[in-house]
Amino acid sequence: MNRILLSSPHMSGKEQIYVNEAFETNWIAPLGPNVSAFEKELAAYVNTKGAALTNSGTAAIHLALSILGVGKGDSVFCSSFTFVASANPAIYLGAHVTFIDSEPETWNMSPQALERALSDAKKRGQLPKAVIVVHLYGQSAKMAELLEVADQYGVPIVEDAAESLGSDYKGKKSGTFGKIGIYSFNGNKIITTSGGGALVSEDEELVEKAVFLATQARDAAPHYQHSVTGYNYRMSNVSAGIGRAQLEVLDERVFQRRQVYERYVEELSSIEGLQFMPELTGTKSNRWLTALTFDPGIMPITPYEVMDLLNKENIETRVLWKPLHLQPVFENSRFYKHHEQEQAISETLFTRGLCLPSGSNMTVEEQDFVIHQLKQVIKQPLLIKQII
Ligand SMILES: *Cc1c(COP(=O)(O)O)cnc(C)c1O
């Protein structure tokens, strides 16, 4: 059996049609009809006024923060429980980052911790220029509560929806609640352009500005003239061709990933001490990755041990994101916990949790193998204990 991966690209078969179109019209240079069409189709899918395609999700976050005026010495708030790419663009711009803990119902940003952080920042006279709210593993954060808090302080929210494309929050698409939302089309995400991203907003002027900055910020002049510093962040017409075909099957991919999740739940949820990532009422996760935690009191095995043992069976799993406030590179950053007096929620999740292979192209046989092996692996320490 081949190695079973966490999340691998899943082509629909129609990507070649759009890519061929690009080749036949010799539109290999960046920009072109696939880029504008994919932008329109994406904006229509998530129901926003505009979308700007970029060559990565990280680039889209960088553009979002630039547009919101983040600069040297500024402050930016960000979820702590996430991939480093959520926070790095703030550093590129010379800002410093304050990290906000998770809350247990979504594993995403805690509104009460955000409130405390904003209140402190206001007292110090340095409110952040933006709050980056991440929607992990497909699950939307508590956007209503977070927006209420951020609005009180007049601070805009950037949604890092890199992992939650296709997810719903209260009847609307994840990534469309903040001032700006970003998506990623990296190879491991729910749909891919081989590498790419997008920025969406209800503010069309803002989307135009993103395109301007993503194409070296050229002023309207017959020669090359620049009044501000831009970037080379645009998606190519070939990649956009792949994206158009992928977007057509996004809903199918969400359905398939949710099926993978449901099969895991059916087979594993009766095991004591094992808990799946919750889904908040009124939301529908794309279940990009099925994530679960092991209760160390009941199940004396660490996620690392499970990961190593499954790896020997050629199954790829991954421990949950290490919170950014614990990363050496962010050593001197502020951090606000969900409950001031208790262990941070993000730290607890990090020490207890694991992501299982969740690709939409995984076969039932492959998933059965993963389930069987996982059951074997978590039985082992219990056996050892009994012998002792
Ligand atoms: C993948 C990811 C990104 C970065 O996207 P790229 O397209 O790889 O640059 C940012 N944030 C989160 C939460 C991600 O999972």
Side-chain angles (χ1 to χ4, degrees):
M1 199 182 265
N2 289 332
R3 184 164 172 77
I4 301 175
L5 298 170
L6 205 58
S7 176
S8 65
H10 186 182
M11 295 297 109
S12 72
K14 284 173 78 182
E15 289 79 8
Q16 291 285 342
I17 298 172
Y18 294 110
V19 172
N20 280 345
E21 239 171 65
F23 274 75
E24 278 157 19
T25 53
N26 200 28
W27 230 309
I28 308 302
L31 309 190
N34 279 333
V35 172
S36 1
F38 187 25
E39 280 174 343
K40 277 207 194 82
E41 288 154 4
L42 179 66
Y45 177 86
V46 298
N47 198 18
T48 54
K49 287 248 171 66
L53 293 173
T54 56
N55 53 17
S56 75
T58 310
I61 299 172
H62 196 179
L63 292 174
L65 297 182
S66 297
I67 290 166
L68 294 175
V70 174
K72 208 169 174 188
D74 283 336
S75 159
V76 168
F77 287 5
C78 183
S79 304
S80 184
F81 193 45
T82 183
F83 180 45
V84 71
S86 304
N88 274 345
I91 305 300
Y92 304 160
L93 291 164
H96 54 86
V97 186
T98 294
F99 292 105
I100 313 292
D101 198 9
S102 303
E103 52 79 27
E105 288 182 316
T106 64
W107 295 8
N108 290 310
M109 190 183 281
S110 156
Q112 67 191 56
L114 176 65
E115 157 68 41
R116 242 184 293 119
L118 283 170
S119 162
D120 278 2
K122 192 171 182 186
K123 278 180 215 145
R124 279 198 315 274
Q126 200 189 21
L127 281 172
K129 283 272 175 75
V131 178
I132 303 166
V133 174
V134 186
H135 308 299
L136 280 191
Y137 308 123
Q139 173 58 53
S140 296
K142 292 185 170 174
M143 283 310 292
E145 290 86 342
L146 292 167
L147 278 166
E148 196 186 319
V149 175
D151 284 350
Q152 268 170 26
Y153 292 86
V155 179
I157 287 184
V158 173
E159 287 181 82
D160 179 348
E163 301 178 4
S164 68
L165 179 61
S167 300
D168 299 327
Y169 177 87
K170 301 191 175 176
K172 273 177 69 180
K173 289 294 170 201
S174 182
T176 64
F177 291 83
K179 182 92 181 143
I180 301 174
I182 77 92
Y183 300 112
S184 165
F185 305 114
N186 193 11
N188 62 355
K189 298 287 159 46
I190 191 155
I191 59 169
T192 181
T193 58
S194 155
L199 174 156
V200 296
S201 178
E202 272 305 299
D203 183 340
E204 278 171 296
E205 240 173 79
L206 193 154
V207 173
E208 270 170 40
K209 204 163 172 188
V211 173
F212 170 75
L213 287 175
T215 48
Q216 309 283 21
R218 278 176 69 180
D219 293 339
H223 46 263
Y224 280 87
Q225 179 168 301
H226 309 273
S227 310
V228 295
T229 306
Y231 310 95
N232 182 8
Y233 276 175
R234 206 66 168 127
M235 183 184 282
S236 83
N237 196 48
V238 175
S239 299
I242 303 172
R244 292 182 71 189
Q246 286 274 287
L247 187 65
E248 288 170 6
V249 294
L250 174 56
D251 284 339
E252 198 180 318
R253 297 291 178 262
V254 172
F255 178 78
Q256 290 162 328
R257 296 231 179 204
R258 286 182 65 88
Q259 271 196 322
V260 166
Y261 162 80
E262 276 155 26
R263 213 176 290 134
Y264 278 130
V265 170
E266 238 165 69
E267 294 291 330
L268 301 168
S269 62
S270 62
I271 299 172
E272 213 195 340
L274 190 152
Q275 259 188 325
F276 287 89
M277 182 182 192
E279 188 173 47
L280 187 71
T281 312
T283 70
K284 184 180 164 189
S285 169
N286 68 13
R287 294 288 180 189
W288 172 56
L289 295 182
T290 292
L292 43 74
T293 56
F294 305 107
D295 183 336
I298 299 171
M299 209 178 272
I301 189 162
T302 67
Y304 292 100
E305 289 167 319
V306 178
M307 188 167 70
D308 283 347
L309 289 166
L310 289 178
N311 193 39
K312 292 199 176 95
E313 301 299 331
N314 230 354
I315 296 168
E316 183 189 26
T317 58
R318 198 175 297 155
V319 296
L320 303 184
W321 297 121
K322 177 172 178 172
L324 296 186
H325 73 272
L326 299 178
Q327 298 285 357
V329 70
F330 292 118
E331 206 165 40
N332 298 312
S333 301
R334 283 196 180 84
F335 171 61
Y336 284 86
K337 286 196 235 177
H338 180 58
H339 290 298
E340 262 175 302
Q341 309 304 332
E342 292 170 26
Q343 189 186 29
I345 303 290
S346 53
E347 290 178 19
T348 308
L349 289 168
F350 169 57
T351 56
R352 294 185 181 180
L354 193 73
C355 293
L356 300 178
S358 308
S360 47
N361 48 4
M362 188 166 54
T363 65
V364 175
E365 290 72 35
E366 284 173 325
Q367 195 179 357
D368 283 345
F369 181 69
V370 174
I371 291 164
H372 176 75
Q373 291 301 329
L374 181 66
K375 282 180 176 166
Q376 294 296 112
V377 159
I378 54 187
K379 249 195 287 177
Q380 284 181 14
L382 301 176
L383 287 177
I384 294 165
K385 243 185 148 184
Q386 278 163 11
I387 295 162
I388 294 164

